[in-house]
Amino acid sequence: AAMEMKQGKLDEGGRTLDLAISTNPKSPSAYYNSALLTLQKDAGNTSAARRYYETGRAMGGAADPQLEALLK
């Protein structure tokens, strides 16, 4: 998904992340990448991106200061 996002294939990246979350719903990185993807698609949609980030944190993910800065 991260590679698809870097290539600008945002819809494909979204589908890959949806699959990753449905396959392993406790993967913090899938939620973090979903937050980043949400911001790439719509920089003003910080509330949805924050929900993904907070879900990843609840799954045991470490704080990500760079992502947190984007969510402000």
Side-chain angles (χ1 to χ4, degrees), residues 7 28 34 39 44 53:
Q7 295 173 344
S34 292
L39 292 173
Y53 176 70

Side-chain angles (χ1 to χ4, degrees), residues 39-52:
L39 292 173
Q40 275 189 284
K41 285 184 148 185
D42 181 3
N45 195 358
T46 56
S47 62
R50 180 171 298 285
R51 282 193 301 275
Y52 279 120

Side-chain angles (χ1 to χ4, degrees), residues 25-28 31-32 50-63:
K26 294 188 178 188
S27 170
Y31 291 102
Y32 288 5
R50 180 171 298 285
R51 282 193 301 275
Y52 279 120
Y53 176 70
E54 289 174 356
T55 301
R57 293 276 292 143
M59 296 299 153

